[in-house]
Amino acid sequence: MDFEYFTQLFFGGLTRGSIYALIALGYTMVYGIIELINFAHGEIYMIGAFTGLIISTVLTMMGMPAIAVMVLAGMAAIIYSCAYGYTMEKIAYKPLRNAPRLSVLISAIGMSLFLQNYVLLAQTSDFLPFPSLVPEFEFWEPYSHILTSPELMILSTTVVVMILLTILIKFTKIGKAMRATSQDKMMAALLGINVDQVISATFVVGSATAAIGGVLIASHIGQINFYMGFIAGIKAFVAAVLGGIGSIPGAVLGALVLGWTESFFTGYISSDYEDVFAFIFLVVILIFRPSGILGRSQIQKV
Amino acid sequence: MLKLKNVQAFYGNIQALKDISMDVKEGEIITLIGANGAGKSTTLMTICGIVPIRSGEILFEGQTINKMPPNKIVALGINQVPEGRHIFPYLTVMENLDMGTFLRNDKDGIKKDLDYIFTLFPRLAERRNQAGGTLSGGEQQMLAISRAIMTRPRLLLLDEPSLGLAPIITHQIFDIIKKINKDNKTTIFLVEQNANLALNVADRGYVMENGLITMTDTGKNLLANEDVKKAYLGI
Ligand SMILES: Nc1ncnc2c1ncn2[C@@H]1O[C@H](COP(=O)(O)OP(=O)(O)OP(=O)(O)O)[C@@H](O)[C@H]1O
Ligand SMILES: [Mg+2]
């Protein structure tokens, strides 16, 4: 077996999985809090990529150094996507808080179509070239045949995001409120937690990680279009379900497993059916573990 | 301290509260008794802002609270231990207690209250790192009451704290309710199926039937009342 090829596929899968993880977090956190599959989440990621493109084009024309462009474009994308995520919850989901779940799901699909077409009309249906924002790091030169600088950037950013998110959820007031709210909304309210605020915060956090994923992948692949959120969104959703929807470590694990599966299948078997593997894999896992890899089966709720 | 004036509440088309008026004074223990489905839990939920009222008024220390969201009502010093305990199943005992301090910032006071709880319920101290959902029913009830104490309520609403508990644990819980009423000057609003026990600890009681208050008197007088004896004490 060719070891170098194997490591390339391994890291390729890891990179892919990291991006899926950044998007999957938004699905799983929102599901954990309001039991909604937010179909429009992929679009938040797409909007992040578009914002990143627009801002980075402007800043590059102004002659800024690549690193500064990357950071500023990333921050703009986060802010923009968060604003969209926040607003989306307020207009499409909050009014339906006590409605049947099907109504909310339809509202989510509507939101997704609306945002896609909005970007289609406001921007273009063509693929737009996205500048590579990550410079070739000189210190990384000796290893770049296994893992490129942009891939290294994606991996390390993902690790940092995961650490920050863990700190947020475990130790901050809003993070504790999120955990409590996801387990028992009424009791959370009875202890003085503003449940609406917690839900908004969840959408904002999920949108931020999706925006980071959007900018990173756009810069890595080099092109974007209005439709990019759809397939990435579905893959991330698969990852979230795979890991056990509602579970944050589950989403990350599911995303990595999916990334590796895709990478190794396309690398060793065939690249024609790349997108099919994801779904075959999902079906197989769910047959054996219906609640996902790290999902909780319904245990005692007294 | 707390006043309910002609409160009506509905679930869809079903009227759960028809015309409820109550008056709770500071420092009292009052109890609300009544048959299954009478509307006791609903009454507590309207006070906390979880179930909206259709007409009438609820006042806490002279302030109208029936249009406030639950988190604002809690911030005024009202706390409820709801029916069924509602422990956060995947949070540890410590984390559940910590959620009780969500609106507090006084580190020293929190520390003191935690020590107080662990002397009341040494068992919770032993199990501080266990997930709430894996506690026994009695332990969960202790945790639910402790979490409420951690909010430092001035008015504590308790919905059937004796439900499903062995008599010896029930007595222990009732002793503690009396103790927090005395130690912390917490006003207690107790909903109970166990009318005998409740009327014995309460200063005053209300009897509820089908969404209406049908009787109110001191705990002692209600215990001696023939109708109450027949309907609720099984004598
Ligand atoms: N969420 C709900 N939706 C519809 N009806 C409800 C709901 N909650 C309570 N009810 C109805 O309202 C009435 C009063 O219920 P409530 O829970 O207040 O009774 P309760 O006095 O607490 O009874 P118990 O002693 O059994 O706990 C009942 O007829 C009940 O069926
Ligand atoms: Mg009840």
Side-chain angles (χ1 to χ4, degrees):
Chain A
M1 203 165 82
D2 182 347
F3 187 66
E4 191 172 314
Y5 187 52
F6 175 84
T7 43
Q8 271 173 7
L9 292 179
F10 178 85
F11 283 112
L14 194 60
T15 311
R16 218 180 242 264
S18 300
I19 297 293
Y20 293 154
L22 289 172
I23 313 174
L25 286 172
Y27 278 110
T28 219
M29 288 176 70
V30 164
Y31 187 88
I33 294 253
I34 54 174
E35 286 170 24
L36 163 73
I37 311 287
N38 180 13
F39 269 99
H41 185 58
E43 273 57 61
I44 295 291
Y45 154 88
M46 178 266 291
I47 284 170
F50 268 86
T51 312
L53 174 63
I54 293 164
I55 301 295
S56 61
T57 310
V58 173
L59 294 179
T60 309
M61 277 191 331
M62 286 165 55
M64 279 209 183
I67 285 281
V69 172
M70 183 179 71
V71 171
L72 290 176
M75 292 206 317
I78 291 173
I79 293 169
Y80 220 67
S81 287
C82 288
Y84 270 90
Y86 178 87
T87 313
M88 173 165 80
E89 192 274 325
K90 285 276 180 276
I91 61 178
Y93 306 140
K94 187 164 180 247
L96 298 174
R97 196 61 51 76
N98 297 314
R101 276 164 78 171
L102 187 61
S103 318
V104 195
L105 203 61
I106 291 168
S107 184
I109 293 171
M111 202 67 209
S112 165
L113 292 174
F114 168 76
L115 287 175
Q116 275 179 34
N117 287 287
Y118 160 70
V119 173
L120 170 68
L121 288 175
Q123 300 289 329
T124 168
S125 64
D126 299 334
F127 276 95
L128 297 174
F130 198 105
S132 176
L133 297 177
V134 185
E136 293 294 330
F137 301 122
E138 256 168 56
F139 73 94
W140 192 251
E141 193 54 38
Y143 316 101
S144 60
H145 58 291
I146 308 173
L147 186 69
T148 63
S149 285
E151 285 175 334
L152 175 68
M153 189 71 209
I154 292 177
L155 288 184
S156 37
T157 309
T158 307
V159 169
V160 171
V161 169
M162 296 303 162
I163 293 171
L164 290 179
L165 190 68
T166 309
I167 293 171
L168 176 89
I169 302 272
K170 273 251 173 254
F171 302 112
T172 67
K173 218 153 185 149
I174 186 75
K176 288 177 188 172
M178 283 177 181
R179 280 195 292 160
T181 304
S182 76
Q183 292 174 34
D184 193 331
K185 266 204 240 358
M186 184 189 82
M187 196 61 226
L190 285 177
L191 291 172
I193 292 169
N194 184 337
V195 172
D196 286 336
Q197 230 169 48
V198 171
I199 293 172
S200 290
T202 309
F203 273 82
V204 166
V205 172
S207 302
T209 65
I212 295 171
V215 172
L216 287 173
I217 195 68
S219 152
H220 184 43
I221 294 178
Q223 58 174 23
I224 60 174
N225 82 342
F226 75 98
Y227 203 57
M228 66 182 281
F230 182 71
I231 197 76
I234 291 207
K235 296 270 188 67
F237 171 62
V238 167
V241 174
L242 206 58
I245 192 137
S247 155
I248 289 177
V252 177
L253 187 64
L256 293 182
V257 168
L258 184 65
W260 277 319
T261 314
E262 285 189 351
S263 183
F264 285 120
F265 266 93
T266 50
Y268 285 124
I269 299 172
S270 155
S271 59
D272 292 347
Y273 299 105
E274 186 188 318
D275 292 342
V276 175
F277 294 131
F279 300 106
I280 293 176
F281 199 62
L282 177 71
V283 170
V284 172
I285 293 272
L286 291 187
I287 287 171
F288 293 105
R289 278 200 65 96
S291 49
I293 305 172
L294 294 185
R296 304 163 169 145
S297 45
Q298 283 299 319
I299 63 165
Q300 70 288 54
K301 226 184 185 178
V302 186
Chain B
M1 184 178 219
L2 178 77
K3 257 199 174 71
L4 281 76
K5 286 188 189 165
N6 308 101
V7 169
Q8 302 199 25
F10 289 74
Y11 294 106
N13 290 327
I14 303 166
Q15 184 164 16
L17 300 184
K18 288 177 184 142
D19 180 21
I20 303 296
S21 295
M22 296 179 81
D23 195 353
V24 184
K25 295 191 192 65
E26 186 145 15
E28 277 190 312
I29 300 183
I30 73 125
T31 185
L32 176 62
I33 59 174
N36 290 121
K40 306 181 297 294
S41 299
T42 305
T43 305
L44 295 190
M45 287 304 170
T46 60
I47 295 171
C48 292
I50 302 281
V51 173
I53 69 172
R54 188 164 300 180
S55 66
E57 196 178 13
I58 303 176
L59 297 144
F60 184 66
E61 301 186 321
Q63 186 182 2
T64 306
I65 59 169
N66 52 277
K67 289 198 179 70
M68 291 185 182
N71 58 305
K72 291 268 162 61
I73 296 174
V74 176
L76 295 176
I78 301 180
N79 197 268
Q80 182 183 167
V81 179
E83 195 172 9
R85 303 166 193 129
H86 290 265
I87 296 302
F88 299 112
Y90 303 110
L91 297 188
T92 64
V93 168
M94 254 337 248
E95 288 171 329
N96 266 282
L97 291 173
D98 188 35
M99 288 320 298
T101 66
F102 191 76
L103 294 177
R104 293 178 64 177
N105 288 313
D106 56 323
K107 276 216 169 72
D108 297 341
I110 290 172
K111 172 97 190 30
K112 237 177 71 197
D113 288 349
L114 199 62
D115 290 342
Y116 177 69
I117 280 161
F118 285 155
T119 47
L120 287 183
F121 303 108
R123 187 177 280 249
L124 289 182
E126 283 165 32
R127 299 182 180 259
R128 64 177 80 201
N129 294 319
Q130 191 173 326
T134 63
L135 296 178
S136 79
E139 289 165 349
Q140 289 195 4
Q141 190 66 57
M142 294 175 200
L143 180 56
I145 292 178
S146 301
R147 185 176 58 189
I149 295 175
M150 291 307 288
T151 69
R152 270 273 166 168
R154 290 191 299 127
L155 173 63
L156 178 58
L157 315 174
L158 294 154
D159 199 345
E160 305 203 25
S162 75
L163 195 74
L165 299 184
I168 182 151
I169 310 272
T170 304
H171 276 105
Q172 195 193 345
I173 297 259
F174 272 74
D175 283 343
I176 283 164
I177 292 169
K178 277 190 279 189
K179 197 166 149 58
I180 44 185
N181 172 253
K182 252 194 27 228
D183 291 358
N184 302 353
K185 315 252 178 308
T186 308
T187 310
I188 308 271
F189 186 143
L190 176 66
V191 164
E192 256 304 332
Q193 288 284 332
N194 191 331
N196 188 18
L197 211 55
L199 292 172
N200 264 307
V201 301
D203 299 311
R204 292 185 303 119
Y206 289 86
V207 179
M208 186 172 217
E209 269 173 54
N210 289 323
L212 284 170
I213 300 284
T214 52
M215 232 185 294
T216 174
D217 208 330
T218 61
K220 264 204 197 79
N221 289 349
L222 285 174
L223 270 176
N225 184 293
E226 288 303 320
D227 296 334
V228 173
K229 270 188 190 169
K230 243 191 247 131
Y232 303 106
L233 301 174
I235 309 175

